[in-house]
Amino acid sequence: MASKNKRRWYVLFTAPLLLIFTTVVLIPFLIGIYYAFFEWDGIAANPKVFVGMENFTSLLQDERFLESAWITTLFTVLSVIAINVVGLAFALLVTSKLRTSNVARTMLFMPYLIGGLILGYIWQFVFLDVFALFGEVTGLDKVFFNWLIDPQFAMYGLVFVFTWQMAGYVMIIYIAGLQGIPNEVVEASKIDGASPWQRFSRVTLPLLMPALTISLFLTLSSAFKIYDVNLSLTGGGPANSTEMFAMNIYNEIFGSGNYGLGQAKAIVFFLIVAAITLTQVYITKKREVEM
Amino acid sequence: MRKLFGYSKEILLVLLAIVFLSPIYIIFVNSFKDRQELYDNALSLPATFSLQYYLEAMEKMNFLSAIANSLYVTILSVVIIVVLSSMTAWMLVRTGGKLSTIIFMTFIATMLIPFQTLMMPLMQFMSSITNNLNIPMYNTREGLIFMNVGFHASLSVFLYHGFIKSIPITLEEAATIDGASKFGVFWRIIFPMLKPITATVMILNVISIWNDFLLPSLTLIDVGLRTIPLSTFYFFGEFSIQWNLAMAGLTLTIIPVIIFYALAQKHIIKGIGEGAVK
């Protein structure tokens, strides 16, 4: 009696969420794997033709896809470095016991709250008008011009804007890390005559490793999955030069109507993201044991 | 001398923050300028603060309807997520056993799946539910809310799970002996204790759902259903050449975010920190 009652409560508490979760995540995931082995244009009346591994093998010859994979990797590496350097610098400044540091922290975090789509549009204008103006005024028109019309610089523009969005976010993680460092350790190194740079590189940085690992991988996976900023800032252009992975998948499915091929790309995308994230979990766990 | 150095550091920090946020200033000042004034100098303050472009942008973006849609979708999604995932997480922690472990692990494992992997089959499945079972999942705000709950379940259950594990079980046992039902125990005793983590769960979900573009763009077809990111997207596609109008529109979309930030600043920064570290 008691156990039957217990089971009833268990179902009552968990079933609603499990039903929604299964409908939205689990079933589509399985259907997605199935679709990846078919050729289909997305029109319900047209037949789905089983092609086996063909979608996956043809990915290796899809130049636009390979190009996109390469750009995404490059973008991810540059963004991860830029975001973490800027974010850590912000965190160091904001925790240096200044009266204005609270105000500054509030302001520096702000861009993260504005959605990626809207950020991209804001920066479109900044590149178009303000960068050009800067170029005119300073005479440095090789550096300051509308980056978005140049294939190479458009990618740097994406890195720039994504850094602007994410730096405040990782700053928060680094602040938590810095506050966890005991003051005595830093003071002791000061008394021992360590220079500010030595204090940072020999004392602060090693103690900051857990925070560093977390924000490295958070930025790694979010840079790799970038879509919104990509869409609104460059739209993948000029001439597909900034078409990242996520956008390439979207365009293959909904743009070109290659549902099977696009889904195969989406599965490959999943495998890469999973590999990145699992490596993160593995490294973080290992660190925790050592600490 | 030393004091002077200290002051200059203070000022430098504020200056840095101001430069950092200058794009928002640029959007703001240019939303009041006419075309000629805008091209003369994009950095100067406007000659007049006329609201002409704001009124026009509001009308063209359907701003009031968009903000109502965004509020409706975000608030309902977040409330349902909080209710269902806290209940689920509590049962999973307190019951233990193989089944609970499997369910919990499934939630965790699916956090690895990027949205792009699910979007096409999800849309297929949702429209087939709409057509075959006559449940309006596709092209309705309620359908979007349903999907939002599904996508945000994993992280929310995970956060609640971790928090509930740290609450001693004795309180609940005492209440159970007193004859309270599981439902009563949860809502009267447990849920109030979850307040700190509920704040974190709410903030993370509000930010992500409010700003979400891709999922609503796939599910909401009717113009009248568009949320803020959606209406911004279509508005911008049409009026990007008319920069003053576009910038009035962008400023409008930022205002709700600034209000939210001003009201819950401390909770937001704390919630983001906690959400990231776990």
Side-chain angles (χ1 to χ4, degrees), chain B residues 151-164:
Chain B
F151 279 119
H152 294 84
S154 291
L155 180 66
S156 309
V157 167
F158 175 65
L159 289 172
Y160 274 120
H161 198 274
F163 191 86
I164 293 169

Side-chain angles (χ1 to χ4, degrees), chain A:
Chain A
M1 176 62 203
S3 123
K4 203 175 170 191
N5 205 355
K6 228 177 160 183
R7 207 175 302 157
R8 202 176 297 155
W9 281 115
Y10 191 82
V11 172
L12 202 71
F13 269 61
T14 56
L17 190 68
L18 286 178
L19 176 81
I20 299 173
F21 177 70
T22 309
T23 320
V24 175
V25 178
L26 294 183
I27 295 175
F29 183 63
L30 298 176
I31 301 176
I33 296 174
Y34 172 82
Y35 276 143
F37 297 96
F38 286 82
E39 195 184 309
W40 184 43
D41 59 4
I43 298 165
N46 291 346
K48 302 182 182 72
V49 183
F50 181 76
V51 291
M53 293 301 286
E54 202 179 283
N55 285 332
F56 291 96
T57 49
S58 66
L59 283 187
L60 298 172
Q61 276 119 49
D62 183 342
E63 261 174 46
R64 189 162 153 190
F65 180 69
L66 297 178
E67 179 67 22
S68 165
W70 161 242
I71 298 167
T72 310
T73 311
L74 193 63
F75 167 79
T76 305
V77 171
L78 291 175
S79 300
V80 168
I81 296 170
I83 293 167
N84 282 283
V85 168
V86 176
L88 180 57
F90 282 174
L92 288 168
L93 280 172
V94 166
T95 48
S96 58
K97 288 188 200 115
L98 295 172
R99 251 163 305 168
T100 44
S101 57
N102 259 335
V103 183
R105 188 186 66 171
T106 306
M107 289 170 76
L108 295 173
F109 179 68
M110 175 95 206
Y112 179 74
L113 290 177
I114 303 170
L117 193 84
I118 289 158
L119 288 185
Y121 289 135
I122 293 176
W123 277 91
Q124 238 190 59
F125 180 75
V126 176
F127 280 120
L128 177 81
D129 204 288
V130 181
F131 265 54
L133 187 79
F134 260 48
E136 263 174 53
V137 173
T138 58
L140 297 167
D141 53 1
K142 290 269 183 321
V143 186
F144 293 109
F145 60 99
N146 186 0
W147 285 11
L148 305 180
I149 51 169
D150 177 282
Q152 197 188 357
F153 274 84
M155 217 269 284
Y156 298 150
L158 265 177
V159 175
F160 196 93
V161 175
F162 196 56
T163 306
W164 190 71
Q165 181 187 19
M166 298 293 287
Y169 175 64
V170 300
M171 170 188 79
I172 301 290
I173 302 170
Y174 283 124
I175 289 174
L178 286 169
Q179 282 165 347
I181 296 175
N183 221 349
E184 303 89 68
V185 184
V186 184
E187 289 300 319
S189 70
K190 225 186 241 178
I191 292 164
D192 287 346
S195 70
W197 171 248
Q198 280 174 325
R199 277 209 303 274
F200 173 72
S201 62
R202 302 282 170 80
V203 182
T204 310
L205 202 57
L207 288 170
L208 212 54
M209 278 318 277
L212 188 89
T213 320
I214 291 167
S215 60
L216 269 185
F217 278 97
L218 271 173
T219 43
L220 190 62
S221 72
S222 57
F224 198 76
K225 291 193 280 192
I226 188 171
Y227 180 79
D228 289 6
V229 181
N230 195 188
L231 178 71
S232 59
L233 190 69
T234 67
N240 298 330
S241 59
T242 59
E243 188 188 64
M244 301 291 157
F245 235 127
M247 186 179 277
N248 184 277
I249 294 170
Y250 183 93
N251 290 341
E252 189 70 63
I253 298 177
F254 298 113
S256 314
N258 296 324
Y259 276 53
L261 180 63
Q263 191 56 31
K265 287 180 176 182
I267 299 291
V268 172
F269 187 56
F270 158 68
L271 293 175
I272 299 172
V273 171
I276 293 174
T277 317
L278 289 175
T279 316
Q280 166 207 355
V281 174
Y282 176 74
I283 293 176
T284 322
K285 281 270 138 67
K286 219 171 125 193
R287 275 259 156 62
E288 268 165 22
V289 177
E290 281 166 9
M291 286 292 286

Side-chain angles (χ1 to χ4, degrees), chain B residues 17-255:
Chain B
I18 289 171
V19 170
F20 193 69
L21 287 186
S22 60
I24 293 172
Y25 163 83
I26 290 166
I27 294 302
F28 182 70
V29 293
N30 288 304
S31 63
F32 297 102
K33 295 179 188 170
D34 64 32
R35 199 167 269 236
Q36 189 52 46
E37 207 187 341
L38 197 152
Y39 285 112
D40 283 347
N41 187 350
L43 297 176
S44 67
L45 281 169
T48 56
F49 283 92
S50 109
L51 292 178
Q52 181 198 342
Y53 299 114
Y54 281 85
L55 294 173
E56 209 180 324
M58 267 178 117
E59 194 198 318
K60 296 226 159 96
M61 280 177 87
N62 249 329
F63 186 73
L64 294 179
S65 136
I67 204 163
N69 288 333
S70 273
L71 283 172
Y72 180 75
V73 169
T74 308
I75 292 174
L76 270 180
S77 302
V78 171
V79 168
I80 298 173
I81 289 167
V82 164
V83 169
L84 295 185
S85 53
S86 63
M87 282 167 62
T88 304
W90 182 59
M91 262 304 165
L92 294 181
V93 174
R94 291 304 185 229
T95 308
K98 224 179 210 163
L99 182 64
S100 295
T101 313
I102 293 172
I103 294 174
F104 184 61
M105 285 304 169
T106 313
F107 276 122
I108 303 296
T110 55
M111 286 205 264
L112 298 173
I113 307 173
F115 180 72
Q116 277 76 13
T117 306
L118 298 172
M119 63 182 177
M120 186 272 276
L122 175 72
M123 286 309 117
Q124 296 295 325
F125 190 44
M126 287 300 145
S127 52
S128 87
I129 291 180
T130 309
N131 297 335
N132 300 329
L133 301 176
N134 250 331
I135 306 172
M137 284 300 203
Y138 188 64
N139 196 17
T140 60
R141 293 178 302 179
E142 292 72 20
L144 175 61
I145 292 169
F146 185 89
M147 289 179 241
N148 276 336
V149 174
F151 279 119
H152 294 84
S154 291
L155 180 66
S156 309
V157 167
F158 175 65
L159 289 172
Y160 274 120
H161 198 274
F163 191 86
I164 293 169
K165 268 197 297 193
S166 67
I167 300 177
I169 199 166
T170 39
L171 262 174
E172 301 161 33
E173 283 172 344
T176 316
I177 291 163
D178 286 348
S181 71
K182 288 263 183 197
F183 206 73
V185 171
F186 180 76
W187 287 111
R188 259 180 263 134
I189 298 168
I190 305 301
F191 193 73
M193 286 200 286
L194 301 179
K195 236 186 221 158
I197 197 72
T198 299
T200 302
V201 169
M202 281 173 74
I203 279 157
L204 292 175
N205 286 316
V206 165
I207 295 170
S208 142
I209 293 171
W210 183 270
N211 290 326
D212 193 17
F213 167 73
L214 193 48
L215 176 62
S217 80
L218 293 171
T219 49
L220 303 176
I221 309 301
D222 293 349
V223 177
L225 298 178
R226 283 176 189 167
T227 57
I228 294 225
L230 272 181
S231 73
T232 313
F233 177 75
Y234 289 107
F235 171 75
F236 216 84
E238 225 173 307
F239 296 101
S240 65
I241 304 149
Q242 249 174 289
W243 274 104
N244 36 22
L245 192 58
M247 278 184 279
L250 288 177
T251 309
L252 283 174
T253 63
I254 298 176
I255 291 171

